[in-house]
Amino acid sequence: MTELLVPTRFRGPASSGNGGWTAGALAALAVADPVGEAAPAVQVTLRGPPPLDTSMPVADGAARDGEDVVAEAVPLERDLEPVDPVPVTEASAAMATYPGLTSHPFPSCFACGTGRGPGDGLRIFPGEVTADPSGRTRVASTWTPDPSLDERGRVPVAVAWAALDCVGGWAGDLTERLMVLGRMTARLTDLPRVGVEHVVVGGARGRDGRKTFTAASLYDGDGRLVGTAEHVWFAVDPAAFS
């Protein structure tokens, strides 16, 4: 048995953990080799808001807060469909149209929050770019990992998952209704390099009632795919996060 703890820095809403960071941290604990060409995809289901600064015992892939299961991780042997890349110049220009600059439901979010300064949050600000060849909506942002995240020149698994998180929500219908991450499945072939500009691309994948389906991919400065994720988002009552 080991423990999962979400430090306050890695919050999403003001009082709970960023879903992508939490899912990635659990994936790193639950899977022996979560990164590499032979690494499996890992599916993490979030059962409730991850508490901050709370030690959660992890056993059999599940993190618990008392009797409550907060998140569960399981490896999957299947491929994930990447979101097609966009050029760095297009992703950089799109950031000026990021909807969160005008209205953001969670400005404290580690990944996409406008209330987080450089070197604190990731400041991934995805704006809409050209649709993919199938006509599906795409959003994109550049991202250069900060030295404060450095682990031997790379970022931790949890940070890579965080980078692949919110860009999916903004590709979906987050501007229309409040949503939170319910499930994230990701596969990392490598870890992002600190100080190197990357491109994060999100894509819409459909909607079914309260559920919104999206995907995201992370590319390095050479256009090489670093990781891909798929998400299931759930519409929630804004009053629960006021």
Side-chain angles (χ1 to χ4, degrees):
M1 183 180 291
T2 186
E3 291 185 333
L4 170 66
L5 184 143
V6 184
T8 297
R9 179 184 180 184
F10 304 119
R11 63 195 181 276
S15 60
S16 58
N18 170 265
W21 192 95
T22 304
L26 181 59
L29 293 173
V31 177
D33 297 306
V35 182
E37 293 294 337
V42 183
Q43 176 181 280
V44 178
T45 301
L46 300 170
R47 301 295 183 187
L52 298 173
D53 297 317
T54 300
S55 294
M56 293 176 279
V58 176
D60 298 323
R64 288 177 167 81
D65 181 19
E67 297 298 319
D68 297 327
V69 175
V70 174
E72 298 173 286
V74 59
L76 300 178
E77 292 296 337
R78 71 176 181 88
D79 293 330
L80 304 181
E81 179 190 355
V83 183
D84 290 333
V86 301
V88 171
T89 52
E90 185 176 0
S92 180
M95 295 173 71
T97 68
Y98 174 45
L101 296 173
T102 302
S103 178
H104 200 302
F106 303 123
S108 65
C109 179
F110 172 66
C112 70
T114 51
R116 305 295 291 269
D120 179 24
L122 301 185
R123 294 178 62 83
I124 293 174
F125 295 164
E128 190 164 346
V129 294
T130 54
D132 71 10
S134 299
R136 295 177 296 193
T137 298
R138 285 188 304 172
V139 299
S141 172
T142 60
W143 171 51
T144 302
D146 187 78
S148 65
L149 303 168
D150 193 322
E151 284 191 357
R152 292 172 291 185
R154 309 273 179 163
V155 305
V157 170
V159 172
W161 277 58
L164 286 163
D165 174 10
C166 302
V167 65
W170 293 104
D173 47 10
L174 187 56
T175 57
E176 301 173 14
R177 59 181 184 173
L178 187 64
M179 306 184 301
V180 294
L181 185 66
R183 175 173 289 167
M184 181 170 176
T185 305
R187 181 172 180 266
L188 299 176
T189 55
D190 204 349
L191 289 172
R193 289 174 289 169
V194 170
V196 174
E197 188 174 49
H198 293 68
V199 173
V200 192
V201 189
R205 292 291 186 268
R207 178 171 165 176
D208 180 15
R210 291 181 56 229
K211 297 179 182 179
T212 296
F213 306 95
T214 64
S217 290
L218 176 62
Y219 296 88
D220 69 12
D222 296 323
R224 184 175 61 94
L225 182 66
V226 175
T228 291
E230 296 175 352
H231 321 89
V232 182
W233 305 84
F234 288 89
V236 295
D237 182 357
F241 292 88
S242 61

